[in-house]
Amino acid sequence: MTSKLHLETGRVPGLPNLHSHAFQRAMAGLTERRGSQSDSFWTWREQMYRFVERLTPDDLEAIAACAYMEMLEAGFTWVAEFHYLHHQPDGRPYDNVAEMSERIVAAAADVGIGLTLLPVLYRQSGFGGQPPSLSQRRFLNDRDSYARIMETRVPGGCIGIAPHSLRAVTLDDLRWAATTWRGQPAHIHVSEQTREVDDCLAAHGRRPIDLLMDTVEIDEHWCLVHATHADAGERARIAKAKAVVGLCPITEANLGDGLFDVPDFLAQQGRFGVGSDSNVRVSAADELRTLEYGQRLIHRQRNVLGDASRSTGRRLFEAALAGGAQAVGSEATDDIVSLDAGNWRDDAVLDHWLFAADNAAIVSVERGGTRLVEQGRHRHRERLAARYKKTLSRLLA
Ligand code: ZN
C-alpha cells in the first residue's frame, strides 16, 4: 500500500471488503431461531434459498445500495461482490442476461463505493456432477452466458471470476474460467465446512485446497474465501503462492463454521483480508475484533495476532488493508476514513476504533475527494434507507 496511516489526525485508508453477498443483508436477524434439527450452515442455506426466490431486480438494487451505504459508514470503501443471483425465479435469463449484475453496478455507483464485481460460475449441486436443485436455478450459467455476464462494465471498478466452490463447478469449468480470465481477480469459496472436506476426499481423494491448487495455477490474483479447515500443508501452499485468504469472522461465527489457524498462517507470511459475507452485521472494526477474539478464546491468551513492533489493532488493520487491496485488485489510495482521534495517540487511535468504539469512532469517509459519510451518516442515507424499508416490508409481508 502506498497510503499511509496518519494517526495524529485520525486519517486512515478505507478498508477493502473482499467478500459480500449483498442481498443477504435483508435476511439479517431472520435466521436466529433453532429448528427441530440441529442448526448448521446447511439449514441456514435452505432458509437463504427460500428468501432468494422472491427477489426482483429492483429488490436486489435496493438491498445492495443499503448494504453498500452501511459499508461506507463502517469504514469499508471498496467491496468485492460475489454475485450469484443471475436469473429469473424460474431460472430463465432476464432479457439482458447481465440484468442483475448491472443492478449491483448501479447500487455501488449510487452509493459511491468502489466495486469489484465477481459474477459467480455455478454449474452443479455437489461433487461428481450432481445435478443442481430447483432452488439453485437462478444461479446457473453455461459457459456462453457466463462469458456474456463477464462483459459487464464496471466504471471505476473492475471485474473478476468467481467459480462458486469446488462443489458447484467441474474441474474442467474451473480450468476454463481460470485460463480465460487469467490475471484478473479470481475468488472461490473453499474449505468452509468439514462436510465439504469429507465430500472432496470421497470424490477426489484429496482435500479441497490441495485439489484446487493441483488443478489451476493459484497466484496472487486468487482469493481463497474462508479456507477455515485448511490443514498445515494446505496453509503452507497458500502462503507460498502469495494468494489471499478471505476471512469473514462475523459470518463464520454466525454460521458456526470454525476457526482458521491465523497464527500459523501469519508465521509463514500468509496474506489475509476480511469480508462481511452474509452482511448479518456490517462493521470493519467488528470483523477484525472478532478475528482476534476467536483466537484469544481458543488459545486462552491475549493479543494473539499482535507482534512486538505495533499494537494488535494496527497489525490487523495493516494486514487486512494489504491483503484486501490485493484480493479486490485495487489500492484505492484516495479512500480516506477519518476517525475520532480526540483522546488517543498513535496506535491507540486504531485500537480504540477496533476494540472499543466500533462504527461510532468514524467521523467521515471520502473517496476521490468527495465526502460520502459525514458525522457517521451517508449523504444519501434518508433516501436509501426509505427505499430499503419499503422493499423489506414487501418481502417480509
Ligand atoms: Zn460467501
Side-chain angles (χ1 to χ4, degrees), residues 19-21 24 82 84 164 189 192 225-226 248 251 277-278:
H19 189 69
S20 160
H21 309 285
Q24 292 178 11
F82 199 102
Y84 59 88
H164 178 275
H189 291 127
E192 178 178 8
V225 180
H226 305 301
C248 308
T251 298
D277 195 356
S278 68

Side-chain angles (χ1 to χ4, degrees), residues 148-348:
R148 274 186 286 144
I149 294 173
M150 281 297 292
E151 286 166 14
T152 307
R153 286 186 61 253
V154 187
C158 56
I159 194 161
I161 59 164
H164 178 275
S165 57
L166 293 169
R167 299 190 303 275
V169 296
T170 66
L171 299 184
D172 257 1
D173 289 327
L174 182 61
R175 280 187 212 101
W176 168 75
T179 38
T180 306
W181 290 280
R182 186 184 298 282
Q184 290 174 237
H187 291 218
I188 186 168
H189 291 127
V190 69
S191 219
E192 178 178 8
Q193 294 289 321
T194 51
R195 188 173 111 187
E196 180 193 333
V197 178
D198 296 342
D199 290 352
C200 188
L201 279 165
H204 295 282
R206 274 172 285 178
R207 299 176 63 82
I209 291 164
D210 281 333
L211 177 65
L212 174 68
M213 300 191 77
D214 292 344
T215 304
V216 290
E217 193 187 326
I218 299 294
D219 59 18
E220 70 272 17
H221 296 101
W222 279 84
C223 175
L224 276 52
V225 180
H226 305 301
T228 312
H229 301 288
D231 71 7
E234 290 175 312
R235 285 193 300 274
R237 289 185 76 179
I238 305 169
K240 194 161 169 240
K242 300 183 165 56
V244 172
V245 165
L247 301 171
C248 308
I250 295 173
T251 298
E252 288 155 6
N254 184 271
L255 296 178
D257 288 344
L259 289 174
F260 179 73
D261 191 337
V262 189
D264 172 73
F265 190 59
L266 287 181
Q268 304 178 63
Q269 276 72 53
R271 303 173 183 194
F272 78 85
V274 292
S276 62
D277 195 356
S278 68
N279 296 305
V280 63
R281 169 161 163 67
V282 177
S283 163
D286 200 353
E287 295 293 355
L288 293 174
R289 184 171 71 245
T290 302
L291 180 64
E292 165 70 19
Y293 281 0
Q295 300 295 323
R296 290 188 190 191
L297 287 163
I298 198 165
H299 293 288
R300 286 176 285 165
Q301 289 173 22
R302 301 194 70 250
N303 296 309
V304 180
L305 303 179
D307 63 16
S309 68
R310 58 208 151 152
S311 76
T312 300
R314 181 164 183 161
R315 188 181 190 211
L316 287 167
F317 184 79
E318 289 182 331
L321 190 60
Q326 180 180 321
V328 305
S330 168
E331 289 210 352
T333 46
D334 288 339
D335 297 3
I336 296 162
V337 175
S338 294
L339 300 168
D340 174 10
N343 297 311
W344 302 276
R345 281 181 196 286
D346 305 325
D347 292 4

Side-chain angles (χ1 to χ4, degrees), residues 31-57:
T31 61
E32 307 303 327
R33 180 183 289 261
R34 188 175 184 135
S36 52
Q37 52 183 329
S38 79
D39 261 20
S40 68
F41 168 86
W42 306 103
T43 53
W44 171 85
R45 193 177 72 158
E46 286 309 313
Q47 293 177 291
M48 184 266 285
Y49 282 175
R50 283 198 292 277
F51 188 78
V52 139
E53 281 169 15
R54 279 172 267 160
L55 293 181
T56 67

